[in-house]
Amino acid sequence: MAQSTLVSPSAGYLLDREELIRIRSLKLLTSDRDYVFFALQIDFPGKLNPSVDVEAFCERWELSDGNLYKALGELRNKGIVVSIASQLNLEFQPS
């Protein structure tokens, strides 16, 4: 998987995997929902229907599969994730 980054055009702040994990470890980001949202943006930038390997994603982002599914359910309730298929093919709401 290619490493992707999100850059704020105004501040030039680089958010990549290492930075997101650091932010979480400092307890500046305590919501698994928000953490998973940013992790998905880093791993699948611009993809509306990413196919996610749950085991690999959880290992990469240091999450339990239960916390991942709970976060995805919360993202679905917020309208960010449209559907979660049995194979975990996600469909994001276009912005």
Side-chain angles (χ1 to χ4, degrees):
M1 217 180 305
Q3 184 170 340
S4 303
T5 56
L6 296 175
V7 178
S8 168
S10 61
Y13 184 77
L14 181 67
L15 183 61
D16 59 11
R17 178 183 176 274
E18 290 75 23
E19 181 65 0
L20 185 56
I21 289 173
R22 185 182 78 80
I23 289 168
R24 186 175 189 224
S25 71
L26 292 172
K27 303 209 184 303
L28 298 172
L29 181 64
T30 57
S31 162
D32 283 337
R33 179 199 66 210
D34 298 345
Y35 180 68
V36 167
F37 173 79
F38 287 117
L40 288 168
Q41 298 305 308
I42 289 169
D43 280 359
F44 306 101
K47 282 195 168 186
L48 292 179
N49 300 320
S51 183
V52 178
D53 176 333
V54 172
E55 185 177 335
F57 185 85
C58 288
E59 185 176 319
R60 173 172 161 73
W61 291 101
E62 303 172 6
L63 280 168
S64 72
D65 59 345
N67 286 343
L68 172 63
Y69 285 113
K70 181 177 182 232
L72 290 173
E74 291 175 13
L75 288 170
R76 185 176 180 186
N77 290 340
K78 294 271 185 197
I80 304 296
V81 172
V82 176
S83 66
I84 305 169
S86 60
Q87 301 147 344
L88 200 55
N89 293 320
L90 301 179
E91 182 180 339
F92 292 109
Q93 180 69 33
S95 38

